[in-house]
């Protein structure tokens, strides 16, 4: 009964006439126990203004700054004020690249690693390797377009990826929601239905098997280093196959997503996709960037023109007011997503938000001063694992609570009890023990 | 670590004109040996152009691929070109769509017209619909091939009050083809399909309402709306890739399969290999067994090839044939092709490799010359120039419509202004360093209007004389705009651009852990005063001093790249005492050989697909010495293609001694 996902539930209610391979698509990774809650990382660029971002406790309740749209979900929130992203602080001072690149890795970037992607595995990718359910192991999406990259010749990978599957392996996000939708919810097999679709399912598998054999033969004539590089290719083919084996036909999806949407509608489309992907159990782990790090979008549609990054270093009241508009709007998009998740039920008829841990992380604590030492992440939902009941974990100024230990707490919540870091660290280069007060 | 970092800061921000021997853009390698060519995934541009080369016609798939991460401002660096599930999924889909479109029959002509296609004195737009509002409206279009077809549209009448149903006459090239009263409401319009017979060339559709009434006082009107206007031929023509399936052997025979696949694979994989052909032919046979038809099976095999690492990656293989002088000729061909064309080698280039032409320095020189003369050399404009001259961010740039009324219409021309300037220098025998102050530029009418310059004659970006303050790479609109905020210029970003792209003397990143107190808001400071607040801190000052005073010299350009009258534009090149007031004065200060070296270093990294290491820097010295300060682009390209990092086999790692 615990394996009774929404997909199978829908099949049951739609009637026995649908001849579907029950449970076949659950894949080998589905565990006998109920799957862990889904995991979403929600990234915000250019740091924040703490006075508009960080909640406090008022009369025993978690209270966001006045006017914050996140107040609607305060009772499902765990706020942390604040953590030290020591990895970013000890990496070169390309603050946006380092703040973005390390926000889920806690890995220090050495000076000579700035120009070429280095880094190390991120929290979401470790979790992706263990959670049950779902088709593809993880998805990476971003609503922004790639813009300028950070100073000192920083590799763009640091500002454009928060998910890393290993050293030098940044998982570049999909930026077109229409492509993302097509990949997950295409309703037919390459335009075919019925028997022809069955043939294509078979031959598609044959083609991918062949491609892997062909790649294996090529690997035999490559140098050792290049063989290692080609491993990424093999992993990707296997993930592609897993995606094909995932069947979303039983999950109600209405309407597709248009191409070439303007920015604000892309954000909305991704909000919808996140809900769909989790509801339909297409994956259990997503990382989403509302913009890439160092975003320089001019939010003309909010009547808040001016490069967002430049506004984050406001030099006038007018610029600061515009920054507030941009930050509030981004908060509103996040709150809209939380609304969606709260109002959707999972297969066990629970609010999807309760079964989804949403970890919100800005690139920096304070954008204006490039401060990595006062990073204030938020966790929403995922109530089985996290103390997300309107709580504030308050560490005063000068405390040494580490983002890296928060990362360890996230891993521990998902049952990852091992050591994943370098040089004796449990995670990244700095995580030693789970930050207390996070895990339920 | 700390020692190294401190050292880099110490020397990093004390450069001089044209860079120094301690060029911080160059990673010092532990030992100056020639490293092996890395396994190199095609980036999105290379993928798109290679796909076009393999299919035999251009394709447009960039939008379907996720962006590649750049290193040192170039997105063809092997290290950054990782493979991810998201990317492979995109390749898989592009291969599916492309092989479908290649062979499916399509109408000989088919065009749909949105509301922007209508030209009229009176008409207006209602959502997707065009309202005639009593005036004649004209739509002009042209077809490449003629033939019979249909003109389709939805017509609706907006009738208010007691009035006759509106009548519309439709003419095609002056001949009436329709005339009727429209009683259908716009929500449930009347679909009209009119047979037409079009000759190749231009055609005009005219809509004429004949009994229009619009009386506000009586609240009566009879307007007509037109929607979903399109024209398509009756005849279908084979898809553009049809010739890929052509064969001398009987259609769908085993021999035909081998012929088709052999031709395709040698092109896609940049080498012929009978074993590989056997394996792909066996896959074809298997797919037939599994129930696919011959053509579908062929498409699937082509798709397999297009996601194979043999297509997606360039690789040096252990079975490559190499001499002491030169890498395998096929590998050289491939490197030349991606360097100069951003695409896979053509049959002519592969033949040159087979013939031994690429084994000598002279043969490489001849080859580079004819390659640069081919249309494919536009790959350099799209790959190299777009990045070097920062045109790619323009599409996203937005400016206030009142302040910059002509900005939107000038954006494309602004990108062309940069790439056409580069194109002129890569294709004409002119010294590369003249790019700093060539005396000419490329403008079309839109850009001239935006810059407030005299209108050029003719369409498109036209080469013409321009004032000195508008001439050369230092005054190109694209980088000036992409390195500005939307409402004001940014001396910091512009200083950084000039330091990185023209002086090749970039500043290092700020030191670890740098936190600065947010500046207190002080209204009414001048740009220079605002920037001078960077000097409050020694740490900030060391680098900003260089960026800021360099960037201030460009304050004579506003955030839209237009020349404006500003009092304080006194810039200074780091390490120099000579001030400059504008781009032209800076151009005159710069050393020509240093500029050639700077472009050469970027071009060498681009050609190699890796950031330069110690071995490459020695080669760069030799290249610059060889071509001299008056080098043409072509000289630089030849010297790079002949250089050891580009064509010599790597130094073998020293043998490890056995214990």
């Amino acid at each position: 009964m615990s394996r009774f996902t929404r997909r199978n539930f829908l099949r049951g209610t739609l009637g026995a006439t649908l001849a579907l391979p029950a449970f076949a698509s659950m894949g080998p990774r589905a565990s006998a126990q109920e799957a862990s809650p889904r995991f979403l990382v929600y990234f915000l660029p250019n740091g924040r203004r703490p006075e508009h971002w960080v909640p406090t406790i008022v009369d025993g309740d978690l209270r966001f700054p006045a006017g914050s749209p996140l107040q609607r979900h305060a009772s499902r929130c765990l706020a942390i004020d604040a953590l030290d992203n020591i990895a970013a602080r000890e990496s070169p001072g390309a603050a946006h690249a380092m703040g973005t690149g390390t926000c889920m890795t806690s890995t220090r970037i050495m000076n000579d690693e700035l120009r070429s992607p280095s880094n190390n595995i991120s929290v979401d990718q470790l979790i992706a390797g263990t959670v049950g359910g779902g088709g593809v192991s993880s998805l990476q999406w971003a609503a922004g377009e790639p813009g300028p990259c950070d100073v000192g010749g920083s590799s763009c990978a640091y500002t454009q990826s928060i998910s890393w599957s290993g050293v030098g392996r940044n998982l570049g996000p999909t930026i077109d929601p229409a492509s993302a939708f097509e990949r997950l919810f295409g309703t037919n097999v390459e335009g075919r239905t019925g028997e022809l679709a069955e043939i294509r399912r078979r031959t598609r598998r044959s083609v991918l098997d062949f491609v892997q054999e062909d790649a294996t033969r090529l690997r035999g004539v490559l140098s050792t280093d290049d063989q290692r590089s080609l491993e990424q290719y093999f992993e990707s083919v296997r993930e592609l196959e897993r995606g094909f084996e995932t069947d979303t036909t039983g999950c109600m999806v209405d309407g597709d997503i248009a191409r070439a949407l303007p920015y604000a509608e892309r954000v909305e489309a991704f909000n919808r996709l996140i809900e769909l992907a989790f509801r339909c159990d297409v994956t259990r782990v997503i990382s989403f960037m509302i913009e890439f790090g160092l975003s320089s979008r001019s939010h003309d549609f909010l009547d808040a023109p001016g490069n967002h990054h430049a506004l984050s270093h406001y030099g006038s009241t007018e610029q600061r007011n515009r920054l507030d508009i941009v930050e509030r709007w981004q908060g509103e998009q996040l709150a809209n997503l939380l609304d969606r998740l709260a109002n959707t039920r999972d297969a066990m008829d629970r609010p999807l938000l309760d079964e989804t841990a949403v970890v919100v992380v800005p690139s920096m604590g304070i954008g204006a001063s490039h401060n990595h030492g006062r990073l204030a992440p938020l966790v929403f939902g995922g109530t089985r694992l996290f103390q997300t009941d309107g709580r504030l974990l308050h560490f005063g100024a000068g405390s040494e609570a580490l983002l890296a230990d928060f990362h360890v707490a996230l891993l521990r919540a998902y049952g990852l009890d091992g050591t994943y870091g370098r040089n004796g660290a449990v995670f990244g280069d700095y995580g030693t023990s789970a930050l207390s007060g996070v895990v339920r | 670590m700390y020692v190294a970092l401190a050292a880099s800061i110490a020397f990093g921000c004390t450069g001089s004109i044209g860079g120094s021997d301690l060029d911080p853009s160059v990673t010092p390698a532990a030992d100056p040996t020639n490293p092996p060519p890395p396994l190199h995934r095609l980036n999105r541009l290379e993928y798109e152009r290679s796909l076009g080369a393999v299919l035999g016609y251009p394709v447009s798939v960039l939008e379907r691929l996720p962006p590649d991460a750049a290193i040192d401002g170039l997105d063809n660096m092997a290290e950054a070109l990782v493979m991810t599930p998201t990317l492979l999924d995109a390749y898989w889909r592009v291969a599916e769509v492309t092989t479908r479109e290649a062979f499916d029959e399509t109408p000989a002509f088919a065009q749909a017209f949105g509301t922007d296609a209508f030209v009229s004195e009176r008409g207006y737009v209602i959502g997707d619909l065009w309202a005639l509002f009593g005036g004649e409206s004209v739509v002009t279009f042209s077809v490449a091939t003629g033939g019979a077809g249909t003109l389709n549209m939805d017509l609706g009448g907006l009738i208010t009050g007691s009035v006759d149903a509106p009548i519309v006459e439709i003419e095609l090239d002056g001949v009436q083809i329709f005339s009727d009263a429209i009683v259908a409401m716009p929500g449930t319009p009347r679909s009209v399909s009119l047979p037409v017979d079009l000759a190749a060339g231009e055609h005009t559709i005219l809509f004429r309402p004949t009994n229009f009434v619009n009386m506000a006082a009586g609240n009566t009107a009879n307007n007509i709306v037109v929607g979903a206007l399109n024209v398509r031929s009756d005849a279908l023509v084979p898809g553009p890739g049809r010739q890929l399936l052509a064969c001398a052997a009987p259609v769908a025979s085993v021999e035909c399969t081998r012929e088709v696949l052999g031709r395709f694979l040698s092109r896609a994989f940049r080498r012929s290999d009978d074993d590989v052909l056997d394996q792909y032919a066996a896959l074809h046979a298997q797919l037939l067994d599994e129930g696919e038809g011959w053509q579908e099976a062929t498409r699937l095999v082509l798709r397999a090839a297009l996601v194979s690492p043999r297509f997606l990656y360039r690789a040096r293989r252990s079975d490559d044939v190499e001499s002491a002088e030169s890498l395998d000729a096929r590998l050289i061909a491939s490197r030349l092709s991606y360097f100069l064309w951003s695409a896979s080698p053509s049959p002519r280039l592969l033949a040159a490799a087979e013939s031994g032409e690429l084994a000598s320095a002279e043969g490489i020189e001849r080859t580079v010359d004819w390659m640069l003369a081919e249309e494919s050399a536009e790959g350099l404009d799209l790959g190299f120039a777009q990045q070097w001259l920062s045109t790619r961010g323009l599409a996203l740039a937005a400016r206030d419509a009142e302040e910059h009324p002509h900005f939107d219409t000038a954006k494309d021309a602004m990108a062309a202004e940069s790439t056409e300037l580069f194109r002129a220098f890569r294709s004409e025998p002119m010294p590369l360093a003249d790019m700093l102050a060539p005396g000419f530029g490329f403008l079309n009418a839109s850009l001239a209007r935006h810059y407030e310059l005299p209108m050029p004659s003719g369409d498109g970006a036209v080469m013409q004389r321009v004032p000195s303050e508008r001439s050369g790479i230092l005054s190109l609109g694209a980088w000036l705009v992409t390195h500005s905020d939307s409402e004001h210029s940014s001396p910091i970003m512009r200083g950084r651009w000039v330091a990185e792209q023209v002086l090749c003397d970039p500043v290092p990143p700020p030191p670890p852990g740098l936190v600065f107190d947010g500046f207190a808001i002080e209204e009414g400071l001048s740009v220079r005063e605002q920037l001078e607040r960077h000097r409050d801190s020694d740490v900030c000052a060391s680098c900003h001093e260089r960026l800021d005073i360099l960037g201030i010299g460009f304050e004579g350009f506003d955030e839209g790249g237009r020349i404006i009258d500003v009092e304080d534009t006194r810039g200074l090149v780091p390490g120099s005492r000579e001030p400059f007031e504008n781009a032209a004065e800076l151009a005159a200060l710069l050393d020509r050989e240093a500029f050639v070296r700077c472009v050469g270093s970027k071009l060498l990294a681009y050609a190699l697909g890796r950031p330069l290491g110690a071995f490459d820097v020695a080669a760069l010295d030799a290249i610059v010495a060889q071509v001299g300060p008056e080098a043409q682009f072509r000289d630089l390209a030849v010297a790079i293609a002949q250089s050891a990092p580009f064509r010599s086999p790597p130094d073998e790692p020293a043998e490890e001694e056995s214990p």
Side-chain angles (χ1 to χ4, degrees):
Chain A
M1 194 58 198
S2 58
R3 289 176 54 177
F4 210 58
T5 66
R6 178 169 177 82
R7 175 167 53 234
N8 297 315
F9 177 75
L10 279 171
R11 282 174 190 160
T13 58
L14 287 174
T17 49
L18 290 172
L20 292 164
F23 302 115
S25 63
M26 296 290 292
R29 287 174 308 144
S31 72
Q33 274 114 44
E34 185 178 15
S36 299
R38 298 148 186 87
F39 186 75
L40 170 70
V41 186
Y42 198 104
F43 170 83
L44 301 164
N46 294 331
R48 294 290 102 174
R49 289 192 69 212
E51 52 271 50
H52 280 217
W53 174 252
V54 183
T56 50
I57 296 290
V58 179
D59 298 335
D61 291 329
L62 190 66
R63 186 70 51 86
F64 281 87
S68 169
L70 295 173
Q71 188 60 41
R72 318 204 268 278
H73 298 281
S75 66
R76 289 194 183 84
C77 180
L78 167 67
I80 305 172
D81 179 23
L83 301 175
D84 183 6
N85 182 358
I86 185 170
R89 216 158 38 72
E90 296 199 342
S91 296
H96 295 268
M98 299 300 95
T100 308
T102 65
C103 76
M104 279 289 130
T105 67
S106 281
T107 295
R108 178 180 180 186
I109 312 300
M110 306 303 266
N111 214 30
D112 59 1
E113 295 170 339
L114 188 63
R115 291 160 65 227
S116 306
S118 177
N119 217 340
N120 207 339
I121 192 162
S122 55
V123 170
D124 56 300
Q125 289 304 299
L126 283 168
I127 290 174
T130 67
V131 289
V136 295
S137 59
S138 70
L139 291 166
Q140 294 79 38
W141 291 331
E145 303 86 351
C149 304
D150 211 347
V151 296
S154 304
S155 166
C156 303
Y158 292 120
T159 33
Q160 293 171 6
S161 302
I162 54 172
S163 293
W164 295 68
S165 64
V167 177
R169 291 207 53 196
N170 61 302
L171 300 175
T174 302
I175 59 174
D176 175 20
S179 302
F181 182 88
E182 216 172 274
R183 174 175 177 193
L184 300 180
F185 304 108
T187 48
N188 50 35
V189 182
E190 299 178 359
R192 294 170 159 211
T193 52
E195 193 190 343
L196 284 176
E198 284 312 309
I199 291 175
R200 183 51 54 90
R201 247 188 259 282
R202 191 160 59 231
T203 51
R204 185 170 65 180
R205 204 174 303 128
S206 301
V207 167
L208 285 184
D209 288 346
F210 173 84
V211 164
Q212 288 176 82
E213 291 161 19
D214 191 37
T216 306
R217 285 188 290 264
L218 175 66
R219 182 169 58 186
V221 294
L222 296 181
S223 73
T224 322
D225 282 351
D226 289 350
Q227 288 184 12
R228 215 172 293 128
S229 304
L230 202 62
E231 268 316 302
Q232 302 173 1
Y233 178 87
F234 286 99
E235 285 166 28
S236 300
V237 180
R238 286 192 288 270
E239 187 73 5
L240 190 64
E241 280 187 319
R242 270 202 287 275
F244 287 153
E245 303 305 318
T246 306
D247 183 352
T248 57
T249 47
C251 186
M252 301 294 198
V253 177
D254 43 338
D256 56 2
I257 290 175
R259 288 203 173 268
L261 291 174
Y263 170 68
E265 290 175 42
R266 287 207 302 276
V267 175
E268 170 63 23
F270 275 121
N271 273 356
R272 186 179 151 217
L273 276 166
I274 289 167
E275 179 219 310
L276 275 177
F278 282 155
R279 173 160 65 79
C280 297
D281 221 13
V282 166
T283 188
R284 310 286 291 193
V285 175
I286 298 176
S287 67
F288 176 68
M289 306 173 81
I290 197 167
E291 291 275 8
F292 289 126
L294 193 62
S295 163
S296 56
R297 179 176 311 283
S298 179
H299 292 74
D300 296 5
F301 62 97
L302 301 174
D303 284 328
N307 169 339
H308 181 196
H309 170 243
L311 293 181
S312 77
H313 297 293
Y314 51 89
S316 72
T317 347
E318 190 187 4
Q319 289 177 335
R320 194 183 60 196
N321 292 341
R322 291 179 186 174
L323 177 65
D324 291 347
I325 294 174
V326 171
E327 290 192 357
R328 177 153 310 167
W329 181 83
Q330 292 183 337
E332 185 71 47
Q333 308 314 302
L334 167 61
N336 289 346
L337 172 67
L338 297 173
D339 291 345
R340 279 180 174 278
L341 297 177
N343 295 332
T344 304
R345 316 295 285 187
D346 79 348
M348 312 291 279
D349 203 31
R350 298 167 298 199
L352 195 52
L353 182 54
D354 288 355
E355 288 299 305
T356 305
V358 180
V359 175
V360 187
V361 55
S363 63
M364 281 173 260
I366 307 169
S369 57
H370 286 181
N371 185 318
H372 296 296
R374 299 205 50 76
L375 191 76
L378 303 171
V379 185
F380 293 91
T383 47
R384 270 196 286 140
L385 301 186
F386 297 101
Q387 299 197 30
T388 43
D389 51 2
R391 224 175 264 239
L392 175 68
L393 267 183
H394 186 258
F395 304 102
S399 96
E400 291 183 354
L402 298 184
L403 176 67
D405 287 341
F406 173 62
H407 288 153
V408 175
L410 295 174
L411 296 174
R412 297 296 190 240
Y414 279 86
L416 288 154
D417 292 326
T419 294
Y420 311 94
R422 297 189 293 206
N423 302 322
V426 171
F427 176 72
D429 289 331
Y430 304 94
T432 52
S433 60
L435 189 70
S436 61
V438 174
V439 183
R440 186 164 294 279
Chain B
M1 176 64 204
Y2 285 111
V3 174
L5 189 57
S8 87
I9 289 163
F11 70 71
C13 285
T14 54
S16 55
I17 291 187
S20 61
D21 292 335
L22 281 172
D23 187 342
S25 73
V26 173
T27 307
D31 63 324
T33 53
N34 187 13
L39 183 70
H40 198 144
R41 173 173 69 72
L42 306 185
N43 71 8
R44 359 153 55 187
L45 178 70
E46 292 167 342
Y47 177 90
E48 179 182 80
R49 291 173 60 81
S50 301
L51 187 56
V54 169
L55 295 172
Y57 57 93
V59 291
S60 177
V61 300
L62 274 192
E63 304 303 319
R64 292 174 168 272
L65 299 173
D68 302 301
I71 296 178
D72 294 347
L74 296 172
D75 68 359
N76 70 335
M77 301 284 119
E79 280 171 87
L81 293 168
V82 295
M83 180 66 78
T84 67
T86 298
L87 184 59
L88 192 68
D89 182 76
Y91 286 141
W92 175 260
R93 271 159 219 291
V94 167
E96 182 203 339
V97 170
T98 311
T99 53
R100 188 169 61 232
E101 289 172 354
F103 309 124
D104 281 357
E105 293 191 322
T106 54
F109 57 84
Q111 288 183 55
F113 308 100
T115 52
D116 54 351
F118 289 82
V119 177
S120 167
E121 291 288 317
R122 300 199 61 178
Y124 62 94
V125 176
I126 311 174
D128 298 335
L129 304 175
W130 178 257
L132 300 179
F133 204 60
E136 292 185 358
S137 291
V138 170
V139 173
T140 306
F141 66 99
S142 69
V143 294
T145 40
T150 49
L151 179 65
N152 310 293
M153 71 198 79
D154 291 342
L155 296 174
L158 278 167
I159 303 172
T160 312
S162 173
V163 65
D164 289 341
I167 294 171
V168 62
E169 295 177 359
I170 300 174
E171 291 178 1
L172 176 66
D173 300 327
V175 177
Q176 186 172 313
I177 55 173
F178 180 86
S179 173
D180 206 355
I182 306 301
V183 291
M185 303 290 286
T188 51
R190 172 169 163 192
S191 289
V192 174
S193 287
L194 305 170
V196 294
D197 199 354
L198 301 175
E202 192 163 283
H203 299 277
T204 304
I205 311 166
L206 180 144
F207 297 85
R208 180 187 301 121
T210 60
N211 62 343
F212 180 60
V213 174
N214 182 38
M215 291 189 300
N219 200 21
T220 53
N222 61 352
N223 201 352
I224 285 178
V225 295
V226 185
L229 180 69
N230 68 82
V231 62
R232 59 186 290 146
S233 69
D234 296 340
L236 298 175
V237 294
R242 200 69 184 178
Q243 83 289 351
L244 292 168
L245 301 185
C247 55
V251 172
S253 64
V254 173
E255 293 72 26
C256 178
T257 308
R258 285 189 71 87
E259 191 182 334
V260 167
L261 294 184
R263 198 169 50 216
F264 188 88
L265 296 179
S266 67
R267 200 73 204 278
F269 297 163
R270 305 173 276 276
R271 58 172 81 209
S272 303
D273 186 328
D274 284 344
D275 289 346
V276 172
L277 175 56
D278 290 345
Q279 287 142 9
Y280 278 77
L283 172 65
H284 191 275
Q286 181 191 342
L287 298 173
L288 289 176
D289 282 349
E290 290 177 348
E292 300 282 1
W294 185 84
Q295 197 185 101
E296 284 298 325
T298 308
R299 283 187 216 213
L300 281 165
V301 176
L302 301 192
R303 283 167 61 184
L306 293 178
V307 298
S308 163
R310 296 178 196 273
F311 174 65
L312 297 175
Y313 291 89
R314 290 187 276 149
R316 174 170 177 257
R317 300 162 43 152
S318 56
D319 56 356
D320 281 345
V321 186
E322 296 179 351
S323 68
E325 288 286 295
S326 179
L327 294 162
D328 186 290
R330 291 168 297 191
L331 196 58
I332 296 282
S334 181
R335 301 194 110 194
L336 281 171
S337 189
Y338 284 100
F339 171 29
L340 301 175
W341 292 344
S342 283
S344 49
S346 66
R348 179 178 174 187
L349 185 54
L350 289 175
E354 290 293 316
S355 73
E357 174 81 348
L358 306 183
S360 71
E362 298 74 26
I364 284 184
E365 178 167 8
R366 284 189 293 269
T367 306
V368 168
D369 274 331
W370 70 254
M371 287 181 72
L372 282 175
E374 299 238 325
E375 189 53 39
S376 298
E378 68 173 8
L380 280 165
D381 312 343
L382 302 170
F384 181 73
Q386 279 192 359
Q387 298 189 82
W388 176 39
L389 301 176
S390 301
T391 64
R392 289 187 183 172
L394 260 187
L396 286 178
R399 295 294 180 263
D400 183 81
E402 276 179 33
E403 290 285 321
H404 301 269
H406 306 299
F407 180 78
D408 280 348
T409 52
K411 274 204 297 192
D412 288 349
M414 210 179 263
E417 178 196 22
S418 295
T419 48
E420 288 296 321
L421 182 69
F422 175 81
R423 184 191 182 92
F425 278 88
R426 75 151 166 84
S427 55
E428 303 295 331
M430 300 183 282
L432 190 58
D434 282 358
M435 268 188 99
L436 290 165
F440 59 85
F442 292 84
L443 303 175
N444 72 0
S446 303
L447 190 56
R449 195 160 52 227
H450 178 63
Y451 285 164
E452 295 166 8
L453 288 176
M455 286 288 166
S457 54
D459 298 333
V462 183
M463 179 170 170
Q464 60 199 293
R465 295 208 65 78
V466 290
S468 64
E469 67 267 27
R470 198 75 264 179
S471 161
I473 65 169
L474 292 169
S475 61
L476 289 170
W479 79 263
L480 288 164
V481 166
T482 53
H483 292 74
S484 292
D485 193 0
S486 55
E487 292 191 311
H488 50 80
S489 65
S490 170
I492 306 174
M493 285 201 278
R494 286 177 177 177
R496 180 182 153 198
W497 189 88
V498 174
E500 288 178 357
Q501 305 301 94
V502 181
L503 305 180
C504 279
D505 189 20
V507 302
L514 176 67
V515 174
F516 47 91
D517 299 327
F519 298 123
I521 291 178
E522 280 183 67
E523 316 276 356
L525 293 181
S526 73
V527 171
R528 191 177 294 272
E529 284 164 342
Q530 287 180 45
L531 292 171
E532 274 171 355
R533 296 201 289 178
H534 285 135
R535 320 292 158 75
D536 294 350
S537 146
D538 288 345
V539 187
C540 300
S542 73
C543 287
H544 273 280
E545 200 157 34
R546 296 177 51 197
L547 296 177
D548 300 353
I549 57 171
L550 187 54
I552 284 184
F554 293 85
E555 282 293 277
F557 295 100
D558 74 4
E559 67 276 9
R562 298 177 302 190
I563 292 174
I564 48 168
D565 201 12
V566 172
E567 222 158 81
D568 184 5
T569 64
R570 190 171 179 278
L572 210 54
V573 176
S576 148
R577 285 176 209 284
E578 290 263 11
F580 66 96
E581 295 276 351
N582 57 41
E585 288 186 20
L586 174 58
L589 287 179
L590 297 181
D591 179 74
R592 291 170 72 85
E593 184 172 298
F595 180 72
V596 169
R597 182 187 165 89
C598 179
V599 181
S601 72
K602 292 178 186 304
L603 204 56
L604 180 59
Y606 179 78
L608 298 175
R610 66 161 186 255
L612 302 188
F615 180 83
D616 310 313
V617 173
L620 178 63
D621 291 339
I623 289 167
V624 175
Q626 180 188 331
V627 300
E630 298 308 312
Q632 297 168 18
F633 179 85
R634 173 261 172 208
D635 303 331
L636 207 47
V638 168
I640 285 172
Q642 291 172 333
S643 72
F646 189 85
R647 73 183 194 106
S648 300
D651 297 326
E652 294 305 327
E655 296 259 335
E656 282 179 37
E657 296 205 11
S658 24

